[in-house]
């Protein structure tokens, strides 16, 4: 007998604090025939609150544990590989994104040794430098799965939490579903979909956002406006040069850009 069943259509909601709420404004927009939540200023504020609440515990987790969580993200992304391909993400890009999560997972317990250590000083003192996470990072993400991975992973592997304005909504929220099933604590990654020009200024001027990554901003005027807004609260701003090839080896730069180096002196015993 013919089936009269209608397929359940998916609405792509936001990802805030480990949950999938609709926009508080109730607004949506169409992307390739799919309904996608259109985030508002209030959604951005809620995401910052969630990120701030999650940051102390996430940064206090051992580096080894954060590496395990990132590796779990790679495992779950591998399991849903076909789903990302069905969303139009090239197979090679999905594979590269999976590999990038594994790569950053391996750096979790090594970056402190590379970015910090004992400094040679004259005198009977130890001088030790240790990297610490900047805190809450607002991210305007590039419009690709590999680019999205390449801005989220280096931020969270070092103990930061993020609020991401995603330019590729279906893939970004599907990746958020991966986070939700990968032991990533709620609030560590928060994903907002919508217009970056509407949402990003509120992140740039927010007192409780410590850094801003403008990797996905192609409009020079908007990038400059966001830098000026960030200056009011002394945020660290990452503004890469245009034309970044995310297939290249990222090196340690994306991680160290969102770390603060704290140095302490301690007298040597006699």
């Amino acid at each position: 007998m013919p089936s009269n069943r209608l397929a359940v259509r998916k609405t792509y909601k936001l990802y805030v604090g480990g949950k999938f709420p609709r926009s508080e404004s109730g607004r949506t927009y169409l992307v390739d025939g799919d309904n996608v939540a259109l985030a508002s200023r209030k959604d951005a504020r809620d995401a910052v609150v969630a990120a701030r609440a999650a940051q102390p515990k996430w940064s206090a987790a051992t580096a080894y544990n954060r590496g395990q969580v990132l590796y779990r993200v790679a495992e779950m992304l591998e399991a849903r590989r076909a789903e990302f391909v069905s969303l139009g993400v090239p197979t090679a890009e999905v594979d590269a994104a999976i590999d990038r999560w594994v790569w950053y997972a391996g750096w979790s317990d090594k970056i402190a040794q590379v970015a910090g250590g004992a400094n040679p000083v004259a005198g009977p003192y130890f001088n030790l430098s240790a990297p610490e996470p900047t805190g809450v990072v607002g991210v305007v993400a590039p419009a690709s799965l590999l680019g999205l991975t390449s801005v989220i992973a280096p931020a969270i592997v070092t103990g930061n939490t993020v609020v991401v304005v995603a330019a590729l909504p279906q893939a970004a929220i599907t990746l958020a579903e991966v986070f939700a099933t990968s032991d990533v604590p709620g609030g560590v990654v928060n994903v907002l979909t919508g217009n970056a020009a509407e949402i990003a200024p509120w992140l740039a001027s927010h007192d409780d956002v410590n850094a801003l990554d403008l990797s996905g901003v192609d409009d020079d005027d908007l990038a400059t406006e966001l830098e000026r807004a960030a200056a009011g609260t002394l945020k660290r701003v990452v503004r890469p040069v245009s034309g970044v090839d995310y297939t290249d080896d990222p090196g340690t730069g994306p991680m160290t850009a969102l770390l603060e180096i704290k140095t302490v002196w301690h007298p040597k015993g006699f």
Side-chain angles (χ1 to χ4, degrees):
M1 294 180 63
S3 173
N4 293 323
R5 180 181 181 275
L6 296 176
V8 177
R9 297 193 61 183
K10 183 173 183 177
T11 297
Y12 289 86
K13 305 178 183 71
L14 309 176
Y15 182 59
V16 177
K19 300 178 181 179
F20 292 90
R22 299 177 186 273
S23 172
E24 61 83 28
S25 67
R27 299 179 303 169
T28 62
Y29 64 113
L30 285 177
V31 179
D32 298 328
D34 292 325
N35 280 317
V36 178
L38 184 60
S40 67
R41 173 180 62 180
K42 174 66 164 54
D43 297 317
R45 291 202 302 263
D46 290 345
V48 172
V49 170
R52 175 58 63 196
Q55 202 276 326
K57 187 174 181 180
W58 178 243
S59 63
T62 64
Y64 177 73
N65 179 246
R66 288 198 298 269
Q68 287 180 310
V69 172
L70 264 68
Y71 191 85
R72 178 63 176 163
V73 171
E75 289 179 337
M76 295 304 296
L77 189 50
E78 181 80 48
R80 300 182 66 164
R81 182 171 173 272
E83 185 175 358
F84 283 92
V85 173
S86 72
L87 291 171
V89 182
T91 302
E93 185 179 335
V94 179
D95 292 343
I98 296 168
D99 295 345
R100 187 62 50 86
W101 282 105
V102 174
W103 191 83
Y104 276 115
W107 270 105
S108 63
D109 56 358
K110 302 172 183 66
I111 188 62
Q113 285 71 41
V114 172
N119 305 309
V121 293
Y125 307 99
F126 291 112
N127 182 265
L128 306 172
S129 294
E132 294 184 357
T134 299
V136 175
V137 182
V139 179
V140 182
S144 70
L145 178 63
L146 181 57
L148 183 64
T149 290
S150 298
V151 293
I152 295 177
I156 67 173
V157 72
T158 53
N160 298 293
T161 56
V162 296
V163 177
V164 183
V165 183
L168 198 67
Q170 293 102 321
I173 297 304
T174 304
L175 183 61
E177 293 169 359
V178 168
F179 295 142
T181 54
S182 301
D183 303 324
V184 179
V188 171
V189 180
N190 305 273
V191 181
L192 304 175
T193 53
N195 186 354
E198 177 184 354
I199 306 168
W202 298 107
L203 296 178
S205 61
H206 199 299
D207 288 349
D208 217 17
V209 175
N210 305 109
L212 199 62
D213 184 340
L214 304 180
S215 295
V217 179
D218 297 323
D219 184 334
D220 288 340
D221 290 338
L222 176 59
T224 300
E225 176 190 335
L226 294 174
E227 285 184 314
R228 287 173 178 162
T233 50
L234 303 179
K235 287 180 179 56
R236 179 172 301 197
V237 178
V238 177
R239 186 177 175 181
V241 294
S242 60
V244 175
D245 185 354
Y246 289 104
T247 63
D248 288 344
D249 183 340
T252 59
M255 290 180 284
T256 56
L258 298 172
L259 287 172
E260 295 181 356
I261 306 301
K262 301 294 178 68
T263 300
V264 296
W265 295 77
H266 194 282
K268 292 181 180 179
F270 294 97

